[in-house]
Amino acid sequence: MDPELEAFIPFLPDTDVTDPLTARRNFAERAAARPAPEAELLDVEDRTVPGDPDVAVRIYRPRDGTSPLGAIIWLHGGGFVFGDLETEHPWAAKLAHGSGALVVSVDYRRSPEHRYPAALDDAWTVLGWLAGHAEELGVDPERIAVGGHSAGGGLAAGLALRSRDRRGPAIRFQLLNQPGLDDRQETWSQRHFTATPWHDRAKLTAIWAHYLGDAVADEYAAPARATELSGLPPAYISTAEFDPLRDEEIVYALQLMQAGVPVELHQWPGTFHGSQAILSADVSQRQLAELCEVLRRALA
């Protein structure tokens, strides 16, 4: 374990995802206690994307960006259970400020009240809206990326698959930070990381149960199940060493490469799932800086 991260482990809160309402409330309270992000160089706007149902989004526009901008649809983490526009605000702002991209943060529906495919449907609605309103938003329609962290990264990968298969809007790039990709939990890291910080096998079992209910996952719910990956957008995949999700992410990256998809894979030694939230650690600062730089290059 990275020494700077290890020092924080005794103080990390335990999230009980078997009680979704309490998990949401506690997560929101912790997020609200953080210092507000620096957003002086951003224009931030809340909007509602028409759909069935409508989807709330928060748009971050860098004031010093060139026009038209590249854009990313950003999907928050939280195990499909918690997280919203407010809790994701610091990260979306950092991404917009650091990359120069227009960031569209999506308040997708959460489980277990809204099971799969509700969250993916919301992301699909926003993708179509962004592509259709690119000129109004000052966005280059050929420079639209999708991305997210954890559950949001899995949603982004599923969105790229759906857009390819349904011949939806063109996606330039996938920015997948520690994405959740496989409900089967059969990899080495899933079977052995049963007590890792913040994220362990038992929590992931509960998360997938909330998300899927009685349904059987398909490749859009769990992209690791996809058997045909050719024709997908180039991807950046970031993994944490002590994360149950690690091996499914590495396998997915390799399968993308074997299908002819350009991939940048970065395995961060000494880290655990979500440890980049410990901003004082040098490795966390490097992780966040790299996400921004990768997105900047991809949308250049």
Side-chain angles (χ1 to χ4, degrees), residues 28 40-41 43-44 76 106 117 137 141 168 187 222 225 227 244 262 277 279 283:
E40 291 84 356
L41 299 178
D43 291 321
V44 182
H76 65 77
V106 181
L137 296 166
T187 64
R225 288 179 174 269
T227 57
L279 294 174
V283 67

Side-chain angles (χ1 to χ4, degrees), residues 133-181:
H133 292 76
E135 183 176 354
E136 170 200 341
L137 296 166
V139 167
D140 182 345
E142 297 184 358
R143 291 192 290 154
I144 294 175
V146 297
H149 171 69
S150 192
L155 283 171
L159 183 61
L161 283 163
R162 180 187 277 192
S163 193
R164 180 201 64 181
D165 294 346
R166 295 189 181 181
R167 299 187 180 182
I171 295 174
R172 174 81 165 256
F173 191 71
Q174 304 175 75
L175 188 69
L176 309 180
N177 187 47
Q178 300 171 13
L181 300 167

